Every structure is written in C-alpha cells, then in structure tokens.
Amino acid sequence: HEWSLVESVWPRHLFEDINRAPRLVESADAFIRELLLGDHLDDVVVLPRGVELLGLSEPQALPSWFPPALDGAPTVLEFLRRLDRPTLETHKAALEYIDDWGVQRE
C-alpha cells in the first residue's frame, strides 16, 4: 500500500534501500511532529496527500513560478530548464542522482 503512494515519483530501488528510503508519515500531526522534532536533515519526509491533509491549497503550498515549470516536465532537468533567470538567481540547489552503476553523483 505505501509503495503505491510514491511509486510514480520515487524509484523503487531507492525506496527499498533503508539508507535512502523516504520516511512516510500518515497524518498531518505526525508530519508536523517530524518537522519540528525529528532528525530529518538528510532525509525525505513524505505526507501523502499532504497539501490536502494540512488544509492548504496549491497556491498556499507552492510559489507561483513552480506549477508552470513543473507542468508536464518529464525530468528534473527539464523542470530546471523551464525556470527563468530571476528565479534561478534567487534559489540555490544541488541536483543529485544515481548513475547507471548505482553511484550517487551531484
């Protein structure tokens, strides 16, 4: 059941690797507790249907530039290519991935 919630956005081999698997929480309270008290600096914490469960709307949860760039982007790289220069200049990120040999790269 849990796998079906994230299989479209999280590679199964990473999900099954205990060192890289996202931490799934089942309620808004558990998610907030995890954010406030949990040790999640290098982890991904997922609250399926989180926007809905937290009583938010998409405009409240995402900056206005995000949905148009994300809409239909097949890859993270394509999403990034859709961002304009002012947006790119105001944000900092690193793109990490697992190569074909299972090595994590940046």
Side-chain angles (χ1 to χ4, degrees):
H1 173 310
E2 289 178 342
W3 173 244
S4 67
L5 297 173
V6 295
E7 67 184 335
S8 64
V9 295
W10 197 268
R12 188 175 196 118
H13 69 280
L14 294 180
F15 186 81
E16 293 173 341
D17 181 342
I18 192 69
N19 296 316
R20 295 184 174 152
R23 192 166 339 144
L24 295 177
V25 294
E26 297 183 10
S27 70
D29 288 340
F31 183 74
I32 292 168
R33 187 171 36 259
E34 186 67 35
L35 292 182
L36 295 176
L37 304 173
D39 181 18
H40 60 272
L41 187 59
D42 292 321
D43 297 335
V44 173
V45 180
V46 177
L47 173 60
R49 296 182 11 258
V51 172
E52 173 189 337
L53 293 175
L54 292 168
L56 301 171
S57 65
E58 186 177 283
Q60 291 173 306
L62 300 172
S64 61
W65 54 264
F66 197 93
L70 183 61
D71 189 32
T75 66
V76 172
L77 188 56
E78 180 59 29
F79 164 76
L80 294 172
R81 286 181 176 144
R82 294 176 179 192
L83 300 177
D84 60 25
R85 180 147 313 275
T87 300
L88 290 172
E89 290 174 352
T90 59
H91 295 81
K92 181 179 176 182
L95 183 59
E96 295 184 14
Y97 65 97
I98 307 297
D99 69 16
D100 293 336
W101 298 275
V103 177
Q104 184 171 343
R105 302 206 181 264
E106 184 171 328

